[in-house]
Amino acid sequence: MQGTPSVSDVWRDVRARLRQEYGDVIYVSEIARLRVAEDAAAGSVRIICSNDFGRAWVEDNLGARLRALWAAFDTGPRDIVICCEGAPAVRSQPQMATAPAGRAVRPEAPAVSELAHSASSLPLGGVSGGAHGDGRFTFNTFMVGSANAMAVTAAKAISASAMPPFNPAFFHGDYGVGKTHLLMAIAHAVSLGESGRKALYLTAEEFLNGFQSALRARDVQPFKDQVRACDVLLIDDVHFIAGKPRTEDEFLHTIAALIAENRQVVLASHCAPSELGVGDERLRSLLRGGFACPLQGPDLDLRRKIVDCKVAQARSHCPNLEVPEQVRDFLAARVTSSARELEGVLNNVIVRTAYMERPVTLEAVEDVLGELPIRAEKRVTVDEIQKAVAAYFSITPADINSKRRTQSVVRPRHIAMYLAKTMTTRSLPDIGRRFGGRDHSTVIHAVAKITGQMGADPVLAEDIDAIRKRLRG
């Protein structure tokens, strides 16, 4: 029988998982510098930051995930305290997203106290203060583009409907594309609605830990009552449940019971339902029977919106922050892997410039990028885009640049213009000139048309994604 793992061993595993999920940029700039120390007398582990600014950032951005991972890797119960040198942080207590003021809240079941204790302290919405009221993870702060328009439309329909429009809803995509933000935005909107519905957000590991704690206590009914008491259950990272038969079985019965009672189930994973490695055919069938919606990586326009949003949020900590337009354009064009990595780079830029009372310049940004292991998108040209689109639709680049107006040519032409606008830094007039000497207003029309259609036309979205992948090699 294995003993309790050492704090250093658990910390090594937790850091490795955080690096995998948050990327090298955030790992190198924020996570690698953290220290860990055990307080055996208090039965706690201290995650030590170099200063109070770092402590606040870690608590807000990594705290809930760090604690959930620690609980998954550590066999012994330990309280995780995030602090700076000599000043332990006060740990925020998580809770179910609540209904409007004055409405009764179901009491916490004793057997799932460990589940509630490790449940997400990230913003779930509601009327209480602290993290729940800072408005970071709402629909207003979720930037919408062609990569996620259909997912946002579905999420808003879920949050606004008294009855589930589709059940379960399953959002999937790579790490950092916004799945967690979207689930929390749903919970936030539900909890502030007038219907009085209650939303509960959990990661799959929190569900797993709570269920295992109930099994050890030999009393699973309070766990069932707690998880099934909500009107909208949102579970993130469900791929972590796959391959664990007893948890799969409880997960199946939980979501089946909620669906039978017309309560909404919303799930998220880095892979589609058909790709989950679940062993229970009943669970696989149930997941496939709902609505599965992909989220893609952000294109250039969406990355630019994300930069603007993050700069606006950063001004709450740094009121005098000024980030020139050319710097914003440069960041959006260079950091392409995910919104999370883009935010990490921007945080580094802000701390190393504005916080040091230095201007945010292109030179300063290039210095930061040179120090961080970011992944840059392959540069493509308008000519390469025209050739790729023509080959995909079995026409020629000359057809795309011609005056022909048949549907078999117009649609590929519009797609090529859209890709030229979102994958290159060429101006609209320049793009128009490269498409047979057309006016910039023609490009604007084409981009707007394709953008508007992608949210409602999954075939078009798949075509564009396939062409993008070919262009990126």
Side-chain angles (χ1 to χ4, degrees), residues 39-61:
D39 186 344
S44 65
V45 171
R46 300 170 67 231
I47 307 298
I48 304 172
C49 309
S50 57
N51 54 52
D52 194 57
F53 172 80
R55 182 206 60 77
W57 190 93
V58 171
E59 184 68 68
D60 289 345
N61 293 277

Side-chain angles (χ1 to χ4, degrees), residues 182-339:
L182 202 59
L183 263 61
M184 291 185 175
I186 294 173
H188 179 271
V190 168
S191 65
L192 294 184
E194 297 180 356
S195 64
R197 293 188 299 163
K198 294 181 175 62
L200 175 62
Y201 168 92
L202 295 172
T203 66
E205 284 187 288
E206 289 161 357
F207 182 94
L208 173 63
N209 292 338
F211 179 59
Q212 291 179 340
S213 296
L215 287 177
R216 287 195 294 268
R218 301 181 183 275
D219 186 7
V220 297
Q221 192 57 47
F223 172 84
K224 295 176 184 285
D225 293 342
Q226 171 78 3
V227 176
R228 301 181 190 186
C230 59
D231 301 293
V232 181
L233 176 65
L234 307 103
I235 300 184
D236 208 351
D237 295 330
V238 296
H239 47 275
F240 286 122
I241 291 175
K244 301 174 177 64
R246 295 190 71 175
T247 307
E248 280 189 15
D249 187 64
E250 179 60 28
F251 182 64
L252 166 66
H253 289 298
T254 294
I255 62 178
L258 290 171
I259 291 173
E261 296 176 2
N262 279 326
R263 302 191 188 194
Q264 181 71 62
V265 176
V266 185
L267 309 172
S269 172
H270 68 64
C271 56
S274 59
E275 299 171 353
L276 279 176
V278 296
D280 193 318
E281 183 58 39
R282 298 169 301 165
L283 177 57
R284 186 180 298 109
S285 176
L286 183 62
L287 295 179
R288 288 176 175 175
F291 169 70
C293 183
L295 284 84
Q296 307 293 339
D299 59 21
L300 181 61
D301 278 350
L302 183 52
R303 294 196 299 271
R304 183 60 163 79
K305 292 180 183 178
I306 292 169
V307 170
D308 290 342
C309 178
K310 297 305 178 184
V311 169
Q313 291 178 337
R315 287 202 176 107
S316 64
H317 301 288
C318 186
N320 298 323
L321 175 65
E322 292 295 337
V323 181
E325 293 295 312
Q326 61 180 0
V327 171
R328 301 183 188 208
D329 290 339
F330 181 74
L331 283 169
R334 282 291 306 276
V335 187
T336 60
S337 58
S338 71

